[in-house]
Amino acid sequence: MKINETNRVGAINSYQRNVEAGRTEEKKSRRKDEVSISSEALEMLQRSSDPERAQKIQALKQQVASGNYQVDAGKLADKLLPFFKS
């Protein structure tokens, strides 16, 4: 009965080499995170700093909080209709 087969030792060593190779590839593949802002997002950011728009939003928030905000179902349907047609 053979206890130490030479084939098994080689298999363990090749497994160890694969693990070590994976670690070095992992270190190489790490990149720094980058953020890019599209022109559309920059445009939206500029619109949000408009004082008239901020005032309108504040008035809508107050109406919703007090329960006085009424939704015009006709306008809502007109805006949603193109999405359902396509």
Side-chain angles (χ1 to χ4, degrees), residues 19-67:
V19 170
E20 290 172 359
R23 288 181 185 159
T24 57
E25 289 177 11
E26 181 181 315
K27 289 179 184 178
K28 290 179 184 177
S29 67
R30 289 186 185 169
R31 294 177 41 191
K32 293 184 179 180
D33 293 337
E34 296 179 8
V35 175
S36 61
I37 300 174
S38 67
S39 58
E40 292 86 5
L42 289 173
E43 183 181 329
M44 289 176 63
L45 182 62
Q46 290 173 350
R47 284 193 315 183
S48 67
S49 63
D50 183 20
E52 292 176 10
R53 182 173 171 83
Q55 193 175 31
K56 182 178 179 181
I57 291 172
Q58 187 62 31
L60 289 172
K61 285 182 181 181
Q62 289 175 352
Q63 288 178 356
V64 170
S66 66

Side-chain angles (χ1 to χ4, degrees), residues 2-20:
K2 292 183 180 179
I3 296 175
N4 295 329
E5 293 182 16
T6 57
N7 294 338
R8 290 186 182 179
V9 174
I12 293 172
N13 288 339
S14 64
Y15 175 75
Q16 185 64 30
R17 279 186 245 128
N18 287 340
V19 170
E20 290 172 359

Side-chain angles (χ1 to χ4, degrees), residues 63-64 67-73:
Q63 288 178 356
V64 170
N68 296 331
Y69 181 72
Q70 298 294 325
V71 177
D72 185 3

